[in-house]
Amino acid sequence: MNVRQNYQLAFFLILPAFFSWGFTSSLNALLAPQLQTLFHLDYAMSMLVQSFYFAAYGLFPVPITRLILKIGHQQTIVIGFTIAACGCLIFIPASYAAHYAFYLVGVFTISTGAVMLEVTCNPYVSLLGKPENSSSRLTFAQAFTGAGFVVAPLVATLLLLRPGNIANQVRITYGALAVILLLLAMIIFFLPLPALHQHFGIEKTKHTDKDPTNKQKNHLTFTAFPGLWLGCLALFIDCGLEMTIGSFLMRFIQHVKNISAAQAAQQVTIFWLLFLCGRFTGVVLLRYITSTALLCVATLSGSTFVALAISLHNPNYAVVFMLMTGLCNSVLFPIIFSRALQGLGKKTIAGSAYLSTAITGGAVTPLLQGFFADTFSLHTSFLVPLLSYLIVFTYAIGSKYLLPHD
């Protein structure tokens, strides 16, 4: 098998990992309102579920990068699946102990495994082919993350959101998920995946050059790589807005239409279906227009849809426009991520670690919107993601001058 065929095989074998962290992230957003009901929490306190989930992205990407360089991508992915499964298993004693903090520990552990998968797989896919096709390739792979987002509300409707004992529903749902994640860990363990850190000449050992001038050149400074650091900022804002809409969407639909959680979750599925369609559509569009143009269109459309959703009095129209933001959100992450990695060469894995750290925006923005929802109203709180769209739009315009070869 030649190198190109080997890369193609590796690309398709790694796609279940993208699905798995999309599924766990989407399920986590649906878990928050259930725990809010179970423990009688306000909006801000319930958003600690999201904060604990995304806090791991601020702590572990750099150590995980070192682990990748030491043991390789494949073993890191196996460990990631295993840790996520252990986090799911924590929900079983948590459901009996009936302490909110216990659930948060489980959420954080699941997130740690998800971080390992994401830090490993995103740069892995970016390097599996020609650099100029990295945005399209990563957008396609991220479509499977979107598939995980779509499937999670359907599973939640059957298991997590059923009428009855919430603790029991959580125990069954996450127990089943633990089994699936452990099976994926076993499958990946036996698959033939290329060692990209060796193929691209990335050293496993620590840098030993004592020349301070050479060390300075090897640092990922803002002056040397402004595109990377501005990409980190944009990704922080983007992940925050995506997670805050995903976290509050079910509540928004329930509030506007006055329906049950299970009925609202079914409509959330439409949001993630639009998200998934947007991922695949983005792959096609990026062959004909620049990533800058697509990023501008997506962010301006998203801000417009949110503004319409919170200003219209017709509940059906309001929900439709809020659901349409899924289409806009679909292309933001892969475009920002792949653009920020351009030109890093052998520093790609290190750059990916910093970008993955920026995903902690998902821990901050939902908490901020929760505070606004408690202080003002649920509708008013959606000004937070609206402003976030406009900030990412500003990045899209500015990045055009930092990445002239887009």
Side-chain angles (χ1 to χ4, degrees):
M1 183 181 294
N2 60 39
V3 173
R4 181 179 178 182
Q5 290 175 325
N6 196 25
Y7 285 177
Q8 289 175 342
L9 177 61
F11 176 78
F12 286 104
L13 290 177
I14 211 69
L15 294 179
F18 284 82
F19 178 91
S20 64
W21 79 67
F23 183 92
T24 56
S25 177
S26 181
L27 191 65
N28 192 65
L30 298 171
L31 172 69
Q34 287 295 84
L35 295 182
Q36 183 178 10
T37 301
L38 181 63
F39 293 103
H40 308 289
L41 307 171
D42 59 21
Y43 283 115
M45 282 296 293
S46 70
M47 282 300 98
L48 286 177
V49 172
Q50 291 293 64
S51 296
F52 269 72
Y53 187 88
F54 288 96
Y57 285 88
L59 297 174
F60 298 124
V62 174
I64 290 170
T65 299
R66 297 194 184 105
L67 182 64
I68 294 170
L69 297 177
K70 184 176 182 180
I71 67 175
H73 295 83
Q74 185 166 0
Q75 298 305 320
T76 306
I77 293 171
V78 171
I79 294 172
F81 275 126
T82 305
I83 291 176
C86 291
C88 293
L89 292 174
I90 290 175
F91 278 71
I92 296 176
S95 65
Y96 290 107
H99 288 291
Y100 185 45
F102 210 162
Y103 283 98
L104 295 178
V105 171
V107 167
F108 183 79
T109 307
I110 294 170
S111 175
T112 301
V115 172
M116 296 190 77
L117 295 175
E118 198 156 353
V119 170
T120 307
C121 295
N122 279 323
Y124 191 77
V125 166
S126 294
L127 295 172
L128 282 172
K130 297 178 180 179
E132 60 269 24
N133 294 331
S134 61
S135 289
S136 177
R137 194 164 51 250
L138 187 57
T139 301
F140 181 84
Q142 287 283 345
F144 284 81
T145 305
F149 288 144
V150 171
V151 174
L154 298 176
V155 173
T157 302
L158 296 173
L159 298 176
L160 186 62
L161 303 176
R162 289 185 305 167
N165 187 300
I166 294 176
N168 186 55
Q169 293 160 0
V170 171
R171 180 166 59 247
I172 293 171
T173 303
Y174 281 86
L177 181 57
V179 173
I180 294 171
L181 290 172
L182 287 173
L183 286 175
L184 285 172
M186 292 175 62
I187 292 169
I188 293 294
F189 181 80
F190 293 105
L191 290 177
L193 299 179
L196 287 184
H197 63 281
Q198 295 174 347
H199 180 77
F200 285 88
I202 301 173
E203 297 293 339
K204 285 187 178 183
T205 56
K206 294 183 178 179
H207 183 68
T208 56
D209 192 344
K210 297 182 179 181
D211 187 340
T213 305
N214 290 336
K215 285 186 178 181
Q216 182 90 23
K217 291 178 181 178
N218 280 284
H219 289 164
L220 290 169
T221 62
F222 180 84
T223 304
F225 302 99
L228 170 65
W229 294 107
L230 291 178
C232 286
L233 176 60
L235 210 62
F236 181 91
I237 301 297
D238 165 53
C239 291
L241 81 86
E242 289 190 38
M243 289 307 110
T244 197
I245 290 177
S247 300
F248 282 91
L249 181 58
M250 191 170 80
R251 293 176 175 89
F252 179 83
I253 296 172
Q254 282 185 272
H255 177 75
V256 169
K257 288 194 166 186
N258 192 26
I259 57 179
S260 69
Q263 291 173 316
Q266 291 175 353
Q267 297 191 32
V268 170
T269 302
I270 299 173
F271 172 85
W272 292 119
L273 279 171
L274 289 171
F275 185 93
L276 180 59
C277 291
R279 281 277 163 92
F280 286 112
T281 303
V283 174
V284 177
L285 290 176
L286 286 170
R287 296 180 181 179
Y288 302 101
I289 64 175
T290 65
S291 58
T292 298
L294 185 55
L295 198 57
C296 288
V297 171
T299 50
L300 285 179
S301 299
S303 61
T304 301
F305 290 150
V306 171
L308 289 170
I310 62 178
S311 60
L312 292 175
H313 296 291
N314 186 303
N316 293 320
Y317 289 144
V319 169
V320 166
F321 280 117
M322 193 62 77
L323 293 176
M324 288 294 290
T325 60
L327 195 62
C328 304
N329 294 350
S330 62
V331 296
L332 301 185
F333 182 93
I335 288 177
I336 296 170
F337 193 95
S338 57
R339 285 171 62 84
L341 288 179
Q342 288 180 15
L344 293 187
K346 295 181 179 181
K347 302 178 188 294
T348 297
I349 291 181
S352 175
Y354 288 114
L355 286 168
S356 296
T357 301
I359 297 174
T360 47
V364 176
T365 310
L367 201 61
L368 179 62
Q369 183 166 351
F371 172 78
F372 272 82
D374 290 327
T375 306
F376 302 103
S377 69
L378 183 62
H379 272 59
T380 303
S381 70
F382 277 90
L383 292 174
V384 174
L386 191 154
L387 179 61
S388 299
Y389 276 120
L390 297 178
I391 294 174
V392 179
F393 171 76
T394 303
Y395 160 79
I397 298 298
S399 66
K400 179 180 179 181
Y401 300 99
L402 293 172
L403 300 168
H405 300 298
D406 179 30

